[in-house]
């Protein structure tokens, strides 16, 4: 009887162990089947899918922004360094972009002291009120052998016969300018000359007067004295003394200086500068500067100009 009881107990233990084993095998299979890793189909062998794709909505955005981060500066001074919120590597380099523009655009006024670039107002080339040096002085040492040309109630005296040739202004160089020429600034070589309580500026044969925030080229004031005149000045004989002619202005030596004088009737010059105006008087065409008339003549086969003495016909 005891043997039978032992056999029954032994069989019960074996059954319980088998049941536990089967239950364990089944739970493992269910877990693997639920995860999609293993499939059972009617005793067929286990197979794994070739490729398992992620859902489309689980992809990471191309540009994921990060919140702005503020941290102390590395120098320990408490300076804050702020990183851009988008987390990109873009450098902040615009803070100095306009630093050079402040210098380059400090002003549009001409400050070229070399005198090569100037602002021009051609409307004022002729209409200058200062005519103190355009009144011709009579030559008292010479008697005119030729009768004057009479027209419109005036007599036009000249020593040489009229010989027409076109008025072609002579180029005195880039620093010379005609009457009425406006400049915003003067070269450092300009000097101040005071004549009858009026201040002028003289620079390389050109006289200027302050006007409209700049300077305007004007007829040289009679009596103005300078220490030097341009080296290209022409020496002309007035019948009594030599004058020095440059750019429409006449100078006489006065000690170690040169003084501006009016043109003397009968003086012959080789060239006339820019700023003159051709005027027709009857059958004769003169070149006029202010109130001074120049008659085209020919001397020794060369085209020149003679200062004309104009008088009222009484």
């Amino acid at each position: 009887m005891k043997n039978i009881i032992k056999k029954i107990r032994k069989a019960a233990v074996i059954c319980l162990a088998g049941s536990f084993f089967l239950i364990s095998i089944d739970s493992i299979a269910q877990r693997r089947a639920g995860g999609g890793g293993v499939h059972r189909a009617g005793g067929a062998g286990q197979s794994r899918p070739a490729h398992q794709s992620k859902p489309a909505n689980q992809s990471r955005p191309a540009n994921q922004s990060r919140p702005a981060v503020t941290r102390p500066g590395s120098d320990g001074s408490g300076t804050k360094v702020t990183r851009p919120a988008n987390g990109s590597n873009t450098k902040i380099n615009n803070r100095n972009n306009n630093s050079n523009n402040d210098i380059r655009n400090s002003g549009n006024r001409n400050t070229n002291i070399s005198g090569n670039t100037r602002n021009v107002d051609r409307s004022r080339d002729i209409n200058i009120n200062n005519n103190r040096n355009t009144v011709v002085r009579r030559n008292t040492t010479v008697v005119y052998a030729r009768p004057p040309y009479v027209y419109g109630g005036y007599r036009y005296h000249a020593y040489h016969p009229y010989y027409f040739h076109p008025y072609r202004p002579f180029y005195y160089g880039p620093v010379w300018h005609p009457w009425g020429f406006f400049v915003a600034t003067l070269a450092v070589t300009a000097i101040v000359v005071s004549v009858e309580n009026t201040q002028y500026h003289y620079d390389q044969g050109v006289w200027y007067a302050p006007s409209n925030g700049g300077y305007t080229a004007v007829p040289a004031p009679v009596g103005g004295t300078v220490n030097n005149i341009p080296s290209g000045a022409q020496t002309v004989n007035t019948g009594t003394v030599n004058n020095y002619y440059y750019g429409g202005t006449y100078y006489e030596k006065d000690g170690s200086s040169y003084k501006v004088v009016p043109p003397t009737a009968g003086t012959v010059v080789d060239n006339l500068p820019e700023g003159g105006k051709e005027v027709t008087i009857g059958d004769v065409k003169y070149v006029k500067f202010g109130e001074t008339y120049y008659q085209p003549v020919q001397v020794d086969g060369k085209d020149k100009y003679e200062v004309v003495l104009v008088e009222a016909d009484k």
Side-chain angles (χ1 to χ4, degrees):
M1 187 68 181
K2 292 180 178 181
N3 292 334
I4 295 173
I5 293 172
K6 290 180 179 181
K7 290 181 179 180
I8 292 172
R9 290 180 176 175
K10 186 176 182 179
V13 169
I14 293 172
C15 289
L16 291 173
S19 299
F20 179 78
F21 177 77
L22 292 175
I23 292 172
S24 299
I25 292 298
D26 186 70
S27 63
I28 292 172
Q30 289 178 359
R31 287 199 302 268
R32 298 188 65 179
V38 179
H39 297 275
R40 292 184 178 182
Q46 298 178 354
S47 62
R48 186 175 181 177
H51 179 72
Q52 182 176 358
S53 61
K54 295 181 180 181
N57 59 1
Q58 293 183 1
S59 61
R60 185 177 180 178
N63 186 9
Q64 182 177 2
S65 63
R66 293 183 294 179
V69 179
T70 303
R71 57 183 180 181
S74 60
D75 58 356
S77 62
T79 303
K80 300 297 182 180
V81 180
T82 302
R83 184 174 63 206
N86 60 6
S88 65
N89 293 326
T90 303
K91 296 181 180 180
I92 303 175
N93 57 3
N94 294 328
R95 63 185 62 179
N96 295 323
N97 284 349
N98 297 325
S99 61
N100 291 332
N101 292 336
D102 294 339
I103 299 175
R104 287 194 297 266
N105 297 327
S106 60
N108 293 326
R109 294 180 63 184
N110 179 7
T111 57
N112 184 353
I113 63 173
S114 65
N116 292 332
T117 304
R118 303 291 174 92
N119 298 326
V120 185
D121 185 353
R122 294 294 182 186
S123 64
R124 294 183 290 180
D125 282 355
I126 301 300
N127 298 322
I128 305 300
N129 294 327
N130 183 1
N131 290 324
R132 285 182 293 173
N133 74 328
T134 62
V135 177
V136 175
R137 57 182 177 177
R138 180 185 291 272
N139 191 334
T140 59
T141 62
V142 179
V143 177
Y144 285 99
R146 301 177 53 83
Y149 178 75
V150 180
Y151 185 87
Y154 290 91
R155 292 178 292 174
Y156 298 83
H157 296 273
Y159 292 101
H160 297 84
Y162 172 72
Y163 184 90
F164 173 77
H165 52 81
Y167 163 53
R168 297 185 178 90
F170 182 76
Y171 179 68
Y172 282 89
V175 298
W176 188 90
H177 301 298
W179 300 348
F181 194 100
F182 177 82
V183 295
T185 186
L186 296 176
V188 295
T189 53
I191 62 173
V192 177
V193 180
S194 182
V195 181
E196 298 180 3
N197 298 323
T198 301
Q199 284 192 341
Y200 297 88
H201 296 261
Y202 171 83
D203 183 36
Q204 303 184 63
V206 185
W207 294 78
Y208 300 91
S211 67
N212 299 327
Y215 304 88
T216 300
V218 296
V222 173
T225 302
V226 294
N227 293 328
N228 297 287
I229 57 176
S231 59
Q234 176 189 355
T235 302
V236 293
N237 191 296
T238 64
T240 55
V241 296
N242 287 335
N243 279 179
Y244 301 90
Y245 169 82
Y246 185 85
T249 301
Y250 296 84
Y251 301 88
E252 280 185 7
K253 198 77 168 62
D254 184 16
S256 60
S257 302
Y258 297 87
K259 183 172 62 176
V260 177
V261 295
T264 302
T267 302
V268 177
V269 296
D270 293 338
N271 301 288
L272 294 178
E274 181 184 355
K277 180 180 180 181
E278 285 189 320
V279 294
T280 302
I281 306 296
D283 296 327
V284 179
K285 183 173 290 187
Y286 299 100
V287 180
K288 186 180 181 182
F289 282 85
E291 297 302 320
T292 301
Y293 289 83
Y294 287 86
Q295 176 176 292
V297 297
Q298 191 175 70
V299 180
D300 298 329
K302 296 180 180 179
D303 293 341
K304 298 187 179 186
Y305 299 89
E306 180 182 331
V307 177
V308 177
L309 176 63
V310 181
E311 296 179 323
D313 188 15
K314 297 179 182 179

